[in-house]
Amino acid sequence: MSDALARPADAGGAAPPRPNAVVAVLAFGGIVVSLMQTLVIPIVPELPKLLDAPASDTAWAVTATLLAAAVATPVVGRLGDMFGKRRMLLISIVMLVTGSVVCALSDTLVPMIVGRALQGLASGVIPLGISIMRDELPAERLAGSTALMSASLGVGGALGLPTAALIADNFDWHVLFWASAAMGAVAFVLVVAVVPESRVRTGGRFDVVGALGMATGLVCLLLAISKGADWGWTSGTTLGLLAAAVLVLLAWGVFELRTPQPLVDLRTTARRQVLVTNLASVAVGFSMFAMSLVLPQLIQLPERTGYGLGASLLTAGLVMAPSGLVMMATAPVSAAVSKAKGPKVTLMIGAVIVACGYGLNIVLMSQIWHLVLVSCVIGAGIGFTYGSMPALIMGAVPASETAAANSLNTLMRSIGTSVASAIAGVILSQMTISLGGYALPSESGFKTVMAIGGGAALLAFAIAAFIPGRRTPVATAAAPATATEPAGAPSGK
């Protein structure tokens, strides 16, 4: 990372006494929150029986988390900038623990959906953690630490599937949620004990109207994307929601440009470095999630198809798990490349690696080790891309807007994953074979999704080429940190 302004080691007195502990605790919190993505996957087919509800209704156990996360991420980021990032981090973890307990006590649909929505409200933990690192860590520690924190989003998702499958196969399904509640409680205690509260705040009033407008627009958009396949892409409900999303978000944008203290500073967001990075993030989120959709299905499909491997969900999780470890291992490499060449180069390298991984997947998909190799290659690329994005964002926004800007970037990745899920679902439902009276995704369907995932990675590479080149950072290391930084303060730019 070349230009992001970090808190100097001697700012306002002594440096944080345990920077290693701060990084470890924040990364652990990020992994715990990202586990929520894959926590229910092993029990999704069983939810109609477990909750005594139709499958179309139990699908809301997944959709509710997605919608809550989309709404909460930018709102919590802005509140963190205003009232304290550590405070909002703790509140987010409390939401996760509360939601987990509600799910653990549930035997019917409504409490399950409520609990899953509460878990989704914790999604701001990762951008908040990155922002705390910017405020509290010495400059020389920042690049590697934020890369690790950003990669925790993928690490938790990759490690969560085998862990959840193991628990679901050997224990009552409620144990999944008691385990997540316990991990959340541990994360809460560790944050209280180790992580300091940032002194960098914006103050001011919270933009309630802006928050409601963004929430309405995002819910309409993501609801149409995630449920369009069930409702029909040309149905009145889907098209109506998409039209409402466009109108509401346009009106929201006009309002945000006119309000003196907006939820999202669109003028900052429109800066070339921030705007192009966010666009690349959508493509990266798409390419990452394509792997998560294809590989588990390939592993579990019957061998009689000629391309399925006939293995269990636990095996699928174990195949995906090394990719999470690779993401973690590449975080320091990503930081080193960013320091030497700039985060733009790191992002472009990562996008090419992801594209190569999908290329391998198209020709290597007949053995378990083929898919382990593919997941590791793609995981390495994701580690590079995720590690570079916080550096690019923080290099272009004031320190007082770091949490809001990182939260918006996280939201862009989530939109990419939602679009990937919708497009892949359409492709795999249309390109099928018949086996035993059931329609199953065809080999060509999987290869098409892989090709689109690789294309999305190449699109991210092309978009990243328009990010401004690396600039010489302003010498600010000796400047003391202030207790409250005005919203328009420069950040070493």
Side-chain angles (χ1 to χ4, degrees):
M1 190 174 89
S2 58
D3 351 338
L5 176 64
R7 177 180 176 179
D10 58 348
R18 293 177 290 174
N20 290 336
V22 170
V23 172
V25 168
L26 292 174
F28 174 72
I31 290 172
V32 170
V33 169
S34 61
L35 285 171
M36 298 307 106
Q37 294 178 328
T38 50
L39 183 69
V40 297
I41 289 179
I43 62 171
V44 164
E46 302 297 322
L47 282 178
K49 180 176 68 175
L50 296 174
L51 301 176
D52 192 23
S56 58
D57 292 340
T58 58
W60 284 97
V62 177
T63 306
T65 308
L66 168 69
L67 298 179
V71 172
T73 301
V75 170
V76 169
R78 178 61 177 156
L79 290 172
D81 283 332
M82 294 176 65
F83 302 116
K85 302 177 183 74
R86 177 178 179 266
R87 177 180 299 172
M88 294 311 303
L89 181 69
L90 290 171
I91 291 174
S92 297
I93 295 174
V94 167
M95 292 295 100
L96 185 148
V97 174
T98 304
S100 298
V101 171
V102 170
C103 290
L105 296 174
S106 298
D107 286 306
T108 55
L109 181 62
V110 172
M112 172 65 78
I113 293 174
V114 171
R116 289 288 291 163
L118 289 171
Q119 288 181 324
L121 294 179
S123 61
V125 164
I126 291 175
L128 286 170
I130 292 171
S131 304
I132 291 171
M133 288 176 179
R134 183 188 193 185
D135 295 342
E136 300 301 324
L137 297 181
E140 65 273 12
R141 293 294 309 275
L142 186 58
S145 300
T146 56
L148 177 63
M149 187 69 192
S150 186
S152 69
L153 181 63
V155 173
L159 298 181
L161 184 57
T163 304
L166 184 64
I167 292 174
D169 285 346
N170 294 279
F171 301 95
D172 180 79
W173 65 275
H174 294 91
V175 175
L176 287 169
F177 297 102
W178 287 120
S180 66
M183 289 188 293
V186 171
F188 182 92
V189 171
L190 291 174
V191 170
V192 170
V194 174
V195 178
E197 179 61 272
S198 169
R199 299 176 301 142
V200 181
R201 301 186 188 179
T202 61
R205 271 188 188 176
F206 180 69
D207 178 15
V208 177
V209 175
L212 291 175
M214 175 178 255
T216 302
L218 288 175
V219 167
C220 290
L221 175 64
L222 294 175
L223 197 53
I225 292 172
S226 61
K227 303 294 287 184
D230 296 331
W231 295 336
W233 291 105
T234 58
S235 70
T237 303
T238 302
L239 294 177
L241 284 170
L242 289 173
V246 171
L247 293 175
V248 170
L249 290 175
L250 284 175
W252 170 80
V254 172
F255 176 82
E256 292 295 279
L257 288 171
R258 294 181 177 178
T259 191
Q261 295 178 327
L263 175 73
V264 177
D265 188 342
L266 293 180
R267 291 179 177 85
T268 298
T269 304
R271 291 177 185 172
R272 183 175 168 188
Q273 182 161 319
V274 178
L275 177 62
V276 178
T277 301
N278 283 334
L279 291 175
S281 298
V282 176
V284 169
F286 186 107
S287 62
M288 173 189 174
F289 203 65
M291 172 186 72
S292 302
L293 289 169
V294 168
L295 297 192
Q297 291 193 63
L298 276 175
I299 293 167
Q300 295 179 83
L301 281 175
E303 293 181 351
R304 286 184 297 157
T305 59
Y307 50 89
L309 301 180
S312 66
L313 178 63
L314 177 58
T315 301
L318 293 173
V319 168
M320 300 290 290
S323 68
L325 301 177
V326 170
M327 288 181 204
M328 187 177 295
T330 54
V333 181
S334 167
V337 174
S338 293
K339 182 177 180 180
K341 301 294 183 180
K344 171 185 174 178
V345 174
T346 308
L347 175 55
M348 296 176 76
I349 291 172
V352 170
I353 294 173
V354 171
C356 290
Y358 281 111
L360 279 175
N361 203 176
I362 291 173
V363 297
L364 295 177
M365 54 183 292
S366 60
Q367 302 289 334
I368 289 290
W369 72 266
H370 290 171
L371 302 186
V372 172
L373 174 63
V374 166
S375 69
C376 288
V377 172
I378 295 176
I382 295 295
F384 269 80
T385 57
Y386 275 22
S388 65
M389 289 173 189
L392 288 165
I393 294 296
M394 292 189 294
V397 302
S400 55
E401 297 179 16
T402 303
N406 278 319
S407 296
L408 185 62
N409 181 254
T410 301
L411 175 62
M412 292 300 103
R413 285 184 256 176
S414 298
I415 290 175
T417 61
S418 299
V419 174
S421 177
I423 291 178
V426 170
I427 292 171
L428 296 179
S429 66
Q430 296 298 316
M431 303 178 70
T432 62
I433 64 169
S434 179
L435 184 67
Y438 294 95
L440 299 176
S442 67
E443 182 178 15
S444 58
F446 285 121
K447 290 186 175 181
T448 300
V449 174
M450 295 171 202
I452 293 175
L458 293 177
L459 177 61
F461 174 88
I463 293 172
F466 292 94
I467 296 173
R470 184 175 182 180
R471 287 173 280 181
T472 303
V474 178
T476 56
T482 56
T484 304
E485 196 171 338
S491 60
K493 301 296 289 179

